[in-house]
Amino acid sequence: MNISYNWLKEYVGTSLSAQEVADALTSVGLETGGVEEVQSIKGGLKGLVVGHVLTCEAHPNSDHLHITTVDLGNNEKPVQIVCGAPNVAAGQKVIVATVGTVLYDGDKEFKIKKGKMRGEESLGMICAEDEIGVGTSHDGIIELPAETPTGMSAAEYYQLESDYVIEVDITPNRADACSHYGTARDLYAYLVQQGIPAEIKRPGVEAFKIDNHDMADIKVNVENSEACLRFSAVSMKGITVKESPKWLQDKLRIIGLRPINNVVDATNYICHAFGQPMHCYDAAKITTKEIRVKTLPAGTSFVTLDEVERKLNERDLMVCNGDEPMCIAGVFGGLDSGATMESKDIVLESAYFHPTWVRKAARRHGQNTDASFRFERGVDPNNTIYCLKLAAILIKELAGGEVASEIIDIYPNKIDNFKVSVAYQRINSLIGKEIPVDMVKSIVTSLEMTILEEDEKGLVLEVPAYRVDVQRDADVIEDILRVYGYNNVEIPTSYKASLVSKSKEDRSHKLENLASEQLVGAGFQEILNNSLTRGAYYDKLTTYPSANLVRLINPLSSDLDTMRQTLLFGGLESVAYNIKRQNADLRLFEVGNCYQFDKESHLNGESVTSGYSEAHHFGLWMTGKKIANSWICSEEENTVFELKAHLLNIFRRVGLKMGQVVMTSISDDIYAAGVSVTTRGGKVLATFGIVQAALTAMFDIEQEVKYAEINWTELMKQTRKSAVSYTELSKFPAVRRDLALLLDENIPFAEVEAIAYKCDKKLLKSVSLFDVYEGKNLPEGKKSYAVKFMLQDEQKTLNDKVIDKVMQKIIKNLQSQLNAELR
């Protein structure tokens, strides 16, 4: 939420700078994201000064130009300026743009340079109102009073004051701070506790009066008092809808709002000033003379202000003209019911709608408006009349007209303030420091809480209804602490850190960091995606069935309506984003949780939530070229075999021995060609391969993407007993033996490797593939593997007899299990 520094100071006077105000707000719990200077006149009138025209003579080569000599003050030599204004004369005080000054015309800018006009030197420009942004007149130059000091800056003369926009991050519980006045309340409490004299004030509404009852025939009927707890309205006639004055437009633009017209801008002003969303209806459109607040049948069509036709839900609260919808209450207005430039009579609404009803309606229709932002958090139910009166006063000032009805206020069940008891001992216990009683009372009263009772043990407080987040003693204590200052609670010198035992989470986190550093060293970049994702990605998938999704009850949008089952789709979004920005050669990795709901387990389990599971996953993506645009190497594509190497390096890094796993070829709706890595007990540790083209096409990715996903939780379980051990390098030489094997073309090398390791666990150190051949001179359906076997004894030199025994055993098992032949 954007807060204007100058606007804020209208409610609480302070000499603090904008940055100091931002720091103060952060210290009391309203975290600020930044402070940005905003100039009311572009350029801030820099380089513009008051000049004194000493002489003015006709230009010898022009019938309308004049040659002037202008004193710019500051003990500088007078300068010659050629001026074409008809009203320039000697003795005037004028505004001069000196050489180097930049002037603005909308988005265009031009710089004042030293030059010649019709042969005469000109060292500046004498300005008109519209040329410097202080007015719209171009009839002639600006003539200032004779007593204006020469050399004074134009910014000082016009008392130009920059504003600052403070970005405040409002948490969901702080509905009371969703306005300038609400923010001012917290700033006031801070100033009081810092001993800085301060006063908080807001405009009075004594000027409000009812001029006549010409529109008293418009009635209001609230038919759903559960969703609409209070509805206040007043009618006005004879208004003139037009452009808002500059001061109001500037106020709205500074906080990021687009001015529309004086009536709508007035209601937006009230919303951002005091946190009360308002709506304005064209009275001519209320043909039934009755405003009904109710729900409508499901499927009812309604066209909103953005010209989108929407189908209503039976739980959408509507403000209606009889039975015709005019507005989704607290969310969005209708296209044909609001005030327009032709409107003459209006009805102003100031209401309190139930936060849950508004939040659900806003989510259903995918709308997050300024009104819904406030209503769904909970506005002040006892502020509707004040804001209604203030809006009427402002509209009369801006648009004329008369208040033509009594105020209608339907408030059947008054929302009372909260009564909370808090004990001093409880305050000191939770905060960890003894806070003086007088300070406690000062803080709660500065936060507009009323002390109803007090004794030596504590206080009984009345908390305003707008503080929906303060209903328990712990909430009051939190308020006391944030105003007192978290940094003012010292850590006792006697404090000793408690012993923290090592856990499996410590090990997992450490190894995760080691694997991440390993990947970064190999050229990968880490990404971080939202664990919320689009449920539509899982439609028609069997590997990750949509029935197993953990779905949100009230999603923010259809793009964030479910918890991810896999890291794949978030990574593909990142790949697509980069490719569209000419960054197509990518190596990415992500570590995050994935979520699943097993419906069968959920139904049969002992616990209601037994079907939900959460696991830590590690994802890797490779796409594009490994080497590109190199003068020394030819271009080379990333391959799935390189991805496999990175995966196996991670396994080795965490202590997984390759003899513990089985690799099986897979082809499913995720991988066009892939491999599943499982334990010998069938637990899936990882999968990797080439992503199906149908999936990459969903993201407009035309190039091949290689992907690997590790179930990190399971990997940690399988390696929990692995320990790093150190052995002396063998003094005895290793022996290499090669085999050329003829195999069926569908047999992967992983099977050859697994069989070999089973044959000998002591002497066989490594098995690697160094050549694959498929083609002529081989039987149909066959391929040839050239495999290297490394053998070594740590205690003695191997002899041929021992080596041949191991190799014969390997050959025999390959022949019997894979029908392999030696070439």
Side-chain angles (χ1 to χ4, degrees):
M1 183 183 72
N2 289 334
I3 292 292
S4 161
Y5 172 65
N6 290 340
W7 193 346
L8 185 68
K9 291 198 296 181
E10 293 177 14
Y11 307 128
V12 56
T14 176
S15 59
L16 297 181
S17 68
Q19 186 59 57
E20 289 171 332
V21 167
D23 293 341
L25 293 175
T26 297
S27 74
V28 295
L30 294 179
E31 184 179 356
T32 54
V35 178
E36 181 182 354
E37 183 178 2
V38 180
Q39 297 168 328
S40 56
I41 296 178
K42 193 171 184 179
L45 301 182
K46 292 179 181 178
L48 295 162
V49 298
V50 174
H52 181 201
V53 181
L54 303 176
T55 64
C56 180
E57 301 176 356
H59 194 295
N61 301 318
S62 171
D63 57 359
H64 69 282
L65 295 177
H66 296 83
I67 300 173
T68 65
T69 304
V70 183
D71 179 10
L72 300 179
N74 299 321
N75 299 317
E76 294 182 8
K77 182 180 178 181
V79 298
Q80 179 173 294
I81 298 176
V82 178
C83 179
N87 62 328
V88 65
Q92 290 175 330
K93 293 292 181 69
V94 295
I95 297 292
V96 177
T98 57
V99 173
T101 299
V102 177
L103 298 181
Y104 299 88
D105 181 11
D107 293 331
K108 298 178 182 179
E109 61 179 54
F110 61 94
K111 190 174 184 178
I112 304 300
K113 300 178 181 178
K114 177 181 178 181
K116 289 188 176 183
M117 297 182 68
R118 300 284 181 92
E120 296 293 334
E121 186 177 53
S122 184
L123 301 175
M125 185 176 89
I126 304 176
C127 302
E129 284 184 357
D130 63 331
E131 292 171 330
I132 62 173
V134 298
T136 58
S137 173
H138 195 70
D139 295 337
I141 60 171
I142 302 169
E143 297 183 52
L144 304 178
E147 63 273 13
T148 307
T150 302
M152 173 187 281
S153 70
E156 182 182 356
Y157 175 78
Y158 285 106
Q159 298 180 339
L160 191 66
E161 183 179 10
S162 291
D163 200 354
Y164 296 85
V165 173
I166 303 172
E167 183 185 346
V168 179
D169 300 326
I170 301 295
T171 52
N173 64 311
R174 291 303 308 276
D176 61 296
C178 292
S179 66
H180 283 73
Y181 187 76
T183 304
R185 282 190 295 237
D186 268 20
L187 180 59
Y188 168 74
Y190 169 86
L191 295 173
V192 169
Q193 299 317 310
Q194 297 300 314
I196 301 173
E199 178 186 3
I200 188 165
K201 57 186 182 297
R202 66 179 187 176
V205 292
E206 297 79 12
F208 175 84
K209 68 184 184 71
I210 298 165
D211 299 300
N212 55 63
H213 294 81
D214 294 349
M215 297 177 67
D217 55 339
I218 295 180
K219 308 297 183 184
V220 175
N221 181 13
V222 176
E223 299 179 17
N224 189 328
S225 57
E226 175 195 345
C228 178
L229 289 85
R230 187 175 191 180
F231 194 97
S232 307
V234 72
S235 301
M236 298 184 69
K237 64 174 291 187
I239 64 167
T240 303
V241 181
K242 57 185 178 181
E243 187 178 84
S244 295
K246 185 175 183 301
W247 70 265
L248 181 53
Q249 291 191 40
D250 288 345
K251 258 184 164 50
L252 297 179
R253 284 197 181 101
I254 281 172
I255 61 173
L257 295 182
R258 178 176 62 88
I260 298 173
N261 60 53
N262 52 359
V263 174
V264 175
D265 292 350
T267 60
N268 284 337
Y269 170 83
I270 296 296
C271 176
H272 287 269
F274 300 103
Q276 174 63 53
M278 300 187 68
H279 197 70
C280 178
Y281 302 96
D282 187 335
K285 305 291 180 62
I286 308 175
T287 54
T288 64
K289 302 297 182 183
E290 182 184 24
I291 295 175
R292 299 173 68 187
V293 185
K294 62 175 188 173
T295 56
L296 293 173
T300 302
S301 294
F302 179 58
V303 181
T304 46
L305 278 170
D306 55 0
E307 301 182 4
V308 174
E309 182 177 348
R310 305 177 188 275
K311 298 298 181 182
L312 299 179
N313 182 280
E314 69 275 7
R315 297 283 291 177
D316 291 336
L317 183 67
M318 305 299 295
V319 180
C320 304
N321 165 32
D323 292 322
E324 179 185 350
M326 296 191 296
C327 175
I328 303 176
V331 180
F332 213 19
L335 181 63
D336 297 322
S337 60
T340 65
M341 300 301 284
E342 290 73 38
S343 299
K344 299 298 180 187
D345 304 332
I346 60 172
V347 177
L348 288 174
E349 165 208 296
S350 179
Y352 179 87
F353 300 116
H354 195 289
T356 303
W357 281 70
V358 173
R359 184 177 68 252
K360 289 185 175 181
R363 299 299 175 268
R364 278 193 291 268
H365 297 287
Q367 295 296 315
N368 183 21
T369 61
D370 283 342
S372 67
F373 179 82
R374 289 160 176 80
F375 275 128
E376 65 189 36
R377 284 164 170 77
V379 300
D380 185 355
N382 300 317
N383 201 36
T384 62
I385 298 297
Y386 170 80
C387 289
L388 191 66
K389 289 180 177 180
L390 192 61
I393 293 169
L394 183 57
I395 290 173
K396 283 182 73 172
E397 176 188 329
L398 302 176
E402 301 174 327
V403 177
S405 75
E406 295 284 344
I407 290 178
I408 298 171
D409 186 25
I410 301 175
Y411 195 12
N413 301 304
K414 188 176 185 301
I415 299 174
D416 295 323
N417 293 334
F418 309 114
K419 189 175 181 180
V420 181
S421 298
V422 59
Y424 296 130
Q425 187 276 332
R426 171 81 165 154
I427 294 172
N428 299 333
S429 173
L430 283 186
I431 292 178
K433 180 179 180 179
E434 185 171 341
I435 309 297
V437 171
D438 288 343
M439 181 169 288
V440 169
K441 292 194 287 187
S442 173
I443 290 174
V444 295
T445 53
S446 69
L447 290 171
E448 298 188 350
M449 301 179 192
T450 304
I451 299 174
L452 299 178
E453 302 173 25
E454 64 174 301
D455 56 28
E456 68 281 358
K457 293 184 177 180
L459 303 169
V460 178
L461 302 172
E462 184 180 51
V463 180
Y466 63 77
R467 288 305 306 274
V468 294
D469 62 321
V470 182
Q471 300 185 31
R472 306 169 303 162
D473 63 345
D475 300 327
V476 173
I477 296 168
E478 181 186 359
D479 263 12
I480 293 170
L481 177 56
R482 69 184 180 84
V483 176
Y484 177 74
Y486 295 101
N487 293 334
N488 292 326
V489 179
E490 304 86 359
I491 299 176
T493 55
S494 59
Y495 173 82
K496 293 183 179 179
S498 60
L499 294 175
V500 180
S501 62
K502 293 287 185 180
S503 68
K504 59 184 180 181
E505 285 76 17
D506 296 325
R507 175 177 176 271
S508 174
H509 184 67
K510 178 183 177 181
L511 292 177
E512 179 187 309
N513 284 338
L514 287 173
S516 298
E517 290 172 2
Q518 182 172 297
L519 288 173
V520 170
F524 280 76
Q525 292 180 306
E526 186 172 9
I527 58 175
L528 182 63
N529 288 297
N530 199 331
S531 56
L532 296 176
T533 187
R534 182 186 298 181
Y537 289 153
Y538 297 87
D539 291 346
K540 301 180 181 178
L541 289 185
T542 56
T543 306
Y544 299 106
S546 58
N548 289 357
L549 289 173
V550 178
R551 299 186 182 274
L552 274 66
I553 296 175
N554 294 309
L556 293 172
S557 70
S558 59
D559 288 340
L560 300 170
D561 62 353
T562 190
M563 307 294 286
R564 63 189 177 193
Q565 286 193 69
T566 171
L567 302 177
L568 172 63
F569 298 115
L572 290 179
E573 289 176 351
S574 299
V575 169
Y577 182 89
N578 278 273
I579 290 175
K580 289 174 183 177
R581 286 154 182 80
Q582 312 304 313
N583 184 23
D585 303 325
L586 300 166
R587 294 182 175 205
L588 307 173
F589 76 93
E590 180 179 11
V591 186
N593 287 351
C594 293
Y595 310 84
Q596 195 170 28
F597 169 68
D598 187 337
K599 187 175 183 180
E600 184 176 349
S601 173
H602 178 75
L603 292 174
N604 299 328
E606 297 179 4
S607 170
V608 174
T609 58
S610 63
Y612 293 99
S613 62
E614 178 179 348
H616 210 49
H617 283 216
F618 207 121
L620 294 82
W621 295 260
M622 291 174 61
T623 187
K625 293 180 172 58
K626 176 183 178 182
I627 300 174
N629 302 321
S630 172
W631 66 274
I632 198 170
C633 298
S634 58
E635 290 191 344
E636 183 180 337
E637 293 283 340
N638 284 308
T639 68
V640 73
F641 300 105
E642 187 178 0
L643 177 65
K644 176 186 175 183
H646 291 300
L647 180 67
L648 297 183
N649 285 339
I650 292 174
F651 286 167
R652 293 187 186 97
R653 193 69 182 83
V654 301
L656 183 71
K657 294 180 173 59
M658 296 314 300
Q660 296 176 253
V661 301
V662 177
M663 294 193 183
T664 309
S665 296
I666 57 173
S667 179
D668 53 24
D669 45 16
I670 299 297
Y671 298 107
V675 173
S676 174
V677 184
T678 62
T679 65
R680 298 201 174 278
K683 298 285 188 180
V684 178
L685 297 179
T687 58
F688 67 92
I690 300 170
V691 179
Q692 287 279 7
L695 293 183
T696 56
M698 289 168 53
F699 299 87
D700 297 324
I701 300 172
E702 297 179 356
Q703 61 195 52
E704 196 172 77
V705 178
K706 293 84 178 176
Y707 175 63
E709 184 161 356
I710 303 170
N711 185 331
W712 193 260
T713 302
E714 187 61 39
L715 181 61
M716 291 299 99
K717 289 179 182 177
Q718 297 300 322
T719 60
R720 64 185 181 276
K721 294 183 179 179
S722 297
V724 176
S725 59
Y726 301 90
T727 58
E728 184 181 356
L729 290 174
S730 176
K731 299 176 182 178
F732 303 99
V735 177
R736 170 175 171 168
R737 290 290 185 268
D738 294 343
L739 293 180
L741 301 172
L742 188 66
L743 298 158
D744 292 340
E745 62 182 2
N746 63 339
I747 295 176
F749 172 70
E751 293 188 30
V752 175
E753 186 180 33
I755 290 171
Y757 280 124
K758 282 183 181 179
C759 293
D760 187 278
K761 297 180 179 179
K762 179 182 178 183
L763 302 181
L764 185 61
K765 301 302 181 183
S766 69
V767 182
S768 57
L769 180 68
F770 64 89
D771 188 37
V772 179
Y773 176 72
E774 294 178 274
K776 63 180 181 179
N777 301 324
L778 290 182
E780 186 176 351
K782 296 288 186 177
K783 63 183 175 183
S784 175
Y785 278 164
V787 185
K788 179 179 73 174
F789 300 85
M790 296 298 297
L791 298 95
Q792 187 178 39
D793 193 322
E794 309 292 338
Q795 306 298 325
K796 61 185 177 181
T797 301
L798 289 172
N799 56 47
D800 288 341
K801 183 178 179 180
V802 174
I803 296 169
D804 290 343
K805 183 179 179 180
V806 173
M807 293 305 300
Q808 286 301 318
K809 186 176 181 181
I810 292 173
I811 292 168
K812 182 180 179 180
N813 283 335
L814 291 174
Q815 288 173 335
S816 63
Q817 297 182 39
L818 300 180
N819 198 26
E821 299 177 28
L822 292 180
R823 294 189 65 199

